[in-house]
Amino acid sequence: MSFAGKNLRYLRKLRGYTQEEFAQKLGVKRSLIGAYEEERAEPKLEVLEEVAQLFKLSLDELLLKDLSAAKGSSYLEQRRKLKMASSGSAIISFVPVKAAAGYLAGYADTDFLDELNTFTLPMLAPGQYRAFEIIGDSMLPTPSGSVIVGEKVEDIEEVKSSNTYVVLSKQDGIVYKRILKNNRAKNKLTLVSDNPIYEPYAVATDDILEVWKALFILQKANTVQRWDVNQLAGMVNNLQAQVSTLKKKLN
């Protein structure tokens, strides 16, 4: 009995891919992915080889093992053991932009998290850390494509006003912003961009799923935008005006 169709569905959902995204990665039509998953058609060998390479599996595992059930002996469990073997260092799971949509659904799913690539930084003490790739110019001068390494905030009460955080919310997904706390409306937080052309906005605490305190910013060399004195002065003036306006509103 072949588990190919069932395993393809399991692996696709594990990564948070839509059928269309999965089809593009495998170089086939979306309708074929549906046929494979519903076991109306058998995947061709070249498709199976592509899946095996993508998920670091052998063809035997892909065809003969039910990956969604064989937790004790599956490749996922083996990967978990390998990660735990280096428990002397703080392990950082990396969430690239392409996995952001899947992360919203799988942020609490250990199987999904085990599929993320990991790395370590020697300066980190034991704790729970995650790294997020950010895209866009809302936090300039931090450039698009930077990776924010954050430490898990277990209680929103621990958030310190004006510090930067990665926030996962039901409405907005993953965003990197400064947080301002409202002493009067404790059920809301104000998220502020470093780039003053973006307006601050409020988010309900009930909508927030995770908060990660930004500790380090990893970025490619020569990607930091250069600013002249006039640009910097203009940014400072705009930020000061925004902060003054927000303080008046909050108080």
Side-chain angles (χ1 to χ4, degrees), residues 18 20 40 44 64 80 83 95-96 128 135 167 178 193 202-203 207 209 216 228 240 243 249:
T18 64
E20 182 65 36
R40 291 184 283 107
K44 293 183 178 180
L64 304 178
R80 185 180 291 115
K83 291 178 181 180
V95 183
Q128 188 175 359
I135 296 295
V167 180
R178 292 190 185 276
S193 300
V203 59
D207 192 46
L209 302 172
F216 297 98
D228 62 31
Q240 288 177 335
V243 170
K249 290 181 178 179

Side-chain angles (χ1 to χ4, degrees), residues 46-223:
E46 53 265 32
V47 173
L48 293 173
E49 289 176 339
E50 191 71 25
V51 174
Q53 183 177 4
L54 182 62
F55 291 93
K56 304 299 186 290
L57 284 163
S58 69
L59 287 176
D60 282 348
E61 285 176 310
L62 186 58
L63 290 167
L64 304 178
K65 289 184 179 180
D66 182 354
L67 298 178
S68 65
K71 300 288 186 180
S73 58
S74 71
Y75 87 107
L76 296 173
E77 185 65 21
Q78 297 304 316
R79 288 190 62 174
R80 185 180 291 115
K81 288 178 180 178
L82 287 174
K83 291 178 181 180
M84 294 304 294
S86 60
S87 58
S89 302
I91 298 174
I92 307 166
S93 297
F94 173 51
V95 183
V97 167
K98 64 182 181 181
Y103 186 79
L104 181 58
Y107 71 97
D109 184 342
T110 55
D111 285 341
F112 174 84
L113 297 176
D114 280 341
E115 274 299 293
L116 298 174
N117 289 323
T118 62
F119 64 97
T120 62
L121 291 175
M123 69 284 289
L124 292 178
Q128 188 175 359
Y129 302 95
R130 201 144 293 161
F132 300 86
E133 182 183 14
I134 62 168
I135 296 295
D137 62 355
S138 68
M139 289 300 282
L140 286 176
T142 301
S144 179
S146 296
V147 174
I148 311 301
V149 178
E151 182 175 17
K152 182 71 176 291
V153 177
E154 299 294 347
D155 188 341
I156 289 183
E157 291 298 320
E158 298 174 8
V159 168
K160 294 184 178 179
S161 199
S162 297
N163 284 1
T164 53
Y165 296 86
V166 175
V167 180
L168 176 69
S169 66
K170 301 173 187 175
Q171 184 68 29
D172 299 320
I174 300 170
V175 296
Y176 172 55
K177 301 291 180 185
R178 292 190 185 276
I179 291 181
L180 291 183
K181 300 175 78 172
N182 189 331
N183 294 328
R184 291 186 178 181
K186 294 186 179 295
N187 62 336
K188 289 185 178 181
L189 297 175
T190 301
L191 304 187
V192 182
S193 300
D194 282 351
N195 187 339
I197 69 172
Y198 290 88
E199 291 290 332
Y201 62 94
V203 59
T205 53
D206 289 344
D207 192 46
I208 295 175
L209 302 172
E210 285 186 335
V211 176
W212 300 82
K213 178 184 177 182
L215 298 179
F216 297 98
I217 300 174
L218 310 179
Q219 59 194 37
K220 293 180 180 178
N222 301 317
T223 58

Side-chain angles (χ1 to χ4, degrees), residues 140-141 143 222-227 231:
L140 286 176
N222 301 317
T223 58
V224 178
Q225 183 174 347
R226 296 183 64 183
W227 302 88
Q231 284 179 309

